[in-house]
Amino acid sequence: MPRESFRHGGSLRALDRLLPLALAATVALTGCEAGGGDSSATSVTMFRGGSDHLGVSAGPAGAAYGGLLWRVRTGGPVRSSPVVAGGVLFVGSSDGRLRALDARTGELRWAADAGAPIDAAAAVAGELVLAATRAGEFLAFDRATGEVRWRVRSGAEQPLAWEGMSGDLYTASPAVAGDVAVFGGGDGVVYAIDLADGEVRWRFATEGRVRSSPAVADGVVYAGSADGSLYTIALADGRLLWRFDTEGRQLDSSLFGYDRRTITSSPAVAGGAVFFGSRDGSLYAVDAETGALRWRVLHDDTSWSIASPAVVDWLVLDASSDAGFFHAVDAVTGRVVWRVDVGAPLWPSPVVAGDTAWFLTSLGELWGVDPRTGAVRERVQLGVRTKSSPWIEDGALYMGTDERYVLAVRLVDPPGLARAVYWDAATEELNGVAGSEAVRDFFAAGGRLARGFPRGADRRPRAGGRRVRARPAAGEACLGQREQPRRRRALPPLAGRRRQGGLARASAARLARGARRARVLDDRPRGDPAAPRRRPFPAFFDGFGATVTDAGRRWGLEEGWLSRWSADTAGVEALALDENGHAAAWVKSYGGPPGSGFVRLEADGRDPQRLALVAAAAEGFPDHEE
């Protein structure tokens, strides 16, 4: 379709005016909240940044991954996408609680019990925080206290199209337009609710569950349904304006063995067009006024298009679930401008901040790309699984994880992360633990594996950990760091021992081969070679159950494991103890602030949860509990 046929005047000049204005409105909307000063009744923020769902946020130019700020553990997987307003992050969890957290520190402001899982983003409108539960309730909470102001109960949930259908993980996030909140329900109904008192102004029934978060633009509500259709409804009175049927509406999902009909992707409205994905494997663009098809881009015959697209600079940025790629499509013609294959499912929706588009894979790899060219600027393995779409605010990226956490990630100016993992190839022949190379590759994929040790690597760390000079034992990696004021850590993710006690002694001897090399792990006073040295790896090969200590829980350790090669507890802080009272995981301090020192953890590189633990400890962030 030629550009001249685009709506709103049919000219490039018209779209040039409209699209930048729409983007500027979204940036201004999120930007007023970023400062933390606007908590008036007029402040509004919601899923995808604004009611038109463009997925664009204010952000620094040239940002890079800068490590983790904090994490907060909840009682269940966090599929809800965080939103930030006035310096406070609001996020739901499948444990049925809506939390208000300090966006800078992660400290809990309040937690409200909604009575059922919250698997959608909240919306903030003045003094209210709006959320929907999987049990079919729409609630308004007091923004300051978390008390329930009003609640609306929807009807009985629509049955799934066929027995055994999967992928119904999300519920619809509310959108706010003026004094009205628009919700989508599992009963297949779109609701318009008065913000002030919770009175239902109108209901509009579709023929399937409404899991797509409704968008609102120019007095029109756009909502996708599990029946395979996109509906446009007049915001004023709930009248149907038009309906667009995807190819999936005509498909019988039971014949495929997976859902081919549902619209989970939330529509984005820009330049007189509506952009959304469908589980029939397509990204669609339809005319916002008439519902006529503009173009359709097929992802794959078997892939879902679940993520909500972002729209910026004439481009629609879109992610494919099973096909494992993200791409940019010309908003006018539907031509694929660029494509990046990631080799992993993508359920979270992309966010554009500054001059970077950020994508998260469902396996927790964070990608930053140039939205105009697709050039990869950042690629970091966070070591978590996620279905949550990120939110970017004030130089931080926020997300939820399947492992029951809410994470805050720094976005900084290059050079980015001030830590790097060093792999000791010289001791690799001593390692016989399966999966240890996967630990190395895990950090390499995130751009955190240096090619060699820094100069002076045999030196003992300075007090405070300003420089890490540790040479790791067999199969271990050491976390090196540049100058920073706080939290210095050396991290051995995997202690690799192949047979019985002799190898442990060999590893320790290898550490001691340089006159100063062993000091990183012993208790001998510096400059006193005659003082006795305590070796941290007793020759215990047998596996004993490890129990996490209170200190370990603060580091993010959750469950015990079968441990080998535990250490003497003297001179270290035990993060986990084995059945004999030895330290199965520990921190060796060098007189620096809390959180600095040399850390020893066990991790099988084949186990994503253990890798997540390693990544968490490597980044050095405080772990908050309620």
Side-chain angles (χ1 to χ4, degrees):
M1 180 173 292
R3 290 176 181 264
E4 286 73 20
S5 65
F6 216 67
R7 297 292 303 179
H8 289 284
S11 70
L12 276 171
R13 286 193 299 273
L15 183 60
D16 281 336
R17 291 194 304 270
L18 289 168
L19 189 55
L21 284 173
L23 299 183
T26 304
V27 170
L29 179 66
T30 59
C32 73
E33 295 295 345
D38 187 1
S39 60
S40 68
T42 59
S43 62
V44 179
T45 191
M46 67 200 77
F47 181 57
R48 312 297 291 148
S51 64
D52 48 8
H53 290 178
L54 297 182
V56 179
S57 174
Y65 175 73
L68 298 177
L69 283 169
W70 53 257
R71 73 175 181 177
V72 173
R73 185 178 180 183
T74 74
V78 182
R79 301 185 186 100
S80 167
S81 299
V83 299
V84 176
V88 179
L89 180 145
F90 301 93
V91 65
S93 170
S94 64
D95 65 5
R97 309 188 86 186
L98 178 70
R99 290 169 172 81
L101 307 171
D102 186 289
R104 183 178 58 86
T105 66
E107 294 181 4
L108 182 69
R109 299 281 186 91
W110 52 258
D113 187 0
I118 300 175
D119 293 328
V124 181
E127 298 176 352
L128 299 178
V129 182
L130 311 174
T133 74
R134 184 166 285 276
E137 279 196 315
F138 313 130
L139 299 102
F141 299 89
D142 186 281
R143 179 171 172 175
T145 66
E147 295 181 2
V148 176
R149 292 279 195 91
W150 52 255
R151 66 176 72 214
V152 174
R153 179 77 186 179
S154 68
E157 196 166 68
Q158 290 253 13
L160 294 172
W162 55 284
E163 185 178 358
M165 192 175 81
S166 63
D168 189 44
L169 294 179
Y170 298 114
T171 54
S173 303
V176 177
D179 59 354
V180 177
V182 179
F183 288 84
D187 59 353
V189 176
V190 180
Y191 293 79
I193 301 175
D194 190 288
L195 278 175
D197 55 15
E199 179 183 355
V200 178
R201 294 191 179 181
W202 52 256
R203 297 174 174 86
F204 179 89
T206 74
E207 299 173 24
R209 299 180 183 185
V210 179
R211 299 310 198 198
S212 168
S213 300
V216 183
D218 298 325
V220 178
V221 177
Y222 302 88
S225 171
D227 63 16
S229 295
L230 180 75
Y231 295 84
T232 59
I233 310 161
L235 179 63
D237 55 17
R239 289 180 297 109
L240 175 66
L241 299 177
W242 52 258
R243 187 185 88 184
F244 174 83
D245 296 337
T246 66
E247 181 188 26
R249 187 176 176 95
Q250 312 303 323
L251 299 178
D252 183 349
S253 296
S254 63
L255 298 179
F256 294 86
Y258 57 94
D259 185 7
R260 294 299 310 274
R261 179 176 294 184
T262 299
I263 299 174
T264 304
S265 170
S266 300
V269 187
V274 186
F275 308 96
F276 66 97
S278 171
R279 294 193 183 183
D280 66 8
S282 302
L283 173 68
Y284 289 92
V286 299
D287 189 283
E289 184 175 335
T290 67
L293 178 66
R294 294 282 187 86
W295 48 256
R296 174 190 176 195
V297 174
L298 185 66
H299 278 205
D300 187 282
D301 288 338
T302 61
S303 181
W304 287 344
S305 177
I306 293 177
S308 304
V311 183
V312 64
D313 291 339
W314 297 88
L315 296 175
V316 182
L317 308 184
D318 178 43
S320 184
S321 63
D322 302 80
F325 66 82
F326 47 82
H327 61 182
V329 180
D330 188 290
V332 178
T333 67
R335 177 181 61 89
V336 176
V337 178
W338 54 258
R339 168 172 164 160
V340 177
D341 293 294
V342 301
L346 291 107
W347 285 46
S349 303
V351 174
V352 180
D355 58 355
T356 304
W358 296 93
F359 293 81
L360 276 168
T361 74
S362 296
L363 300 183
E365 191 167 42
L366 176 64
W367 292 68
V369 304
D370 186 319
R372 295 165 181 81
T373 67
V376 178
R377 293 173 171 169
E378 194 71 290
R379 181 182 177 185
V380 179
Q381 176 55 258
L382 300 179
V384 295
R385 294 165 294 185
T386 184
K387 300 294 190 298
S388 170
S389 299
W391 181 277
I392 297 176
E393 191 95 2
D394 273 355
L397 181 147
Y398 303 93
M399 58 180 283
T401 78
D402 290 354
E403 289 83 9
R404 301 178 290 176
Y405 284 100
V406 183
L407 303 183
V409 173
R410 295 183 187 92
L411 297 179
V412 299
D413 293 333
L417 186 67
R419 297 174 174 87
V421 175
Y422 297 93
W423 179 264
D424 188 359
T427 59
E428 199 165 353
E429 71 275 9
L430 296 176
N431 175 44
V433 177
S436 65
E437 289 81 2
V439 178
R440 174 198 63 200
D441 296 342
F442 169 82
F443 284 99
R448 290 174 283 179
L449 188 68
R451 293 189 177 183
F453 287 90
R455 294 182 62 186
D458 293 341
R459 299 176 186 172
R460 181 175 178 171
R462 297 179 183 178
R466 287 187 176 273
R467 293 181 182 174
V468 174
R469 303 305 189 204
R471 189 171 180 82
E476 296 180 348
C478 167
L479 183 73
Q481 304 163 80
R482 294 192 293 273
E483 299 283 338
Q484 280 195 352
R486 300 167 66 90
R487 292 194 176 86
R488 310 287 176 252
R489 292 178 183 168
L491 176 74
L494 179 70
R497 272 53 172 189
R498 183 165 45 200
R499 298 188 186 87
Q500 298 190 3
L503 185 55
R505 288 191 292 272
S507 298
R510 191 174 187 87
L511 277 170
R513 191 167 293 173
R516 294 171 294 184
R517 194 169 290 170
R519 292 180 188 157
V520 71
L521 296 178
D522 66 31
D523 289 334
R524 185 171 55 196
R526 191 171 186 180
D528 186 3
R533 182 173 65 230
R534 186 185 309 278
R535 291 185 178 178
F537 295 111
F540 302 138
F541 177 76
D542 296 329
F544 293 100
T547 301
V548 178
T549 65
D550 289 341
R553 279 186 283 274
R554 289 194 295 272
W555 278 72
L557 279 66
E558 300 170 17
E559 301 176 356
W561 62 91
L562 193 65
S563 175
R564 292 182 172 88
W565 305 109
S566 298
D568 194 319
T569 57
V572 300
E573 180 180 28
L575 305 182
L577 296 172
D578 70 10
E579 299 168 49
N580 299 309
H582 296 113
W586 45 266
V587 181
K588 169 71 175 173
S589 175
Y590 295 94
S596 65
F598 189 98
V599 185
R600 193 262 183 178
L601 299 170
E602 290 179 293
D604 187 335
R606 301 164 297 183
D607 185 343
Q609 292 186 347
R610 302 299 296 168
L611 281 175
L613 170 65
V614 172
E619 301 300 352
F621 54 89
D623 192 9
H624 295 289
E625 296 271 1
E626 288 187 35

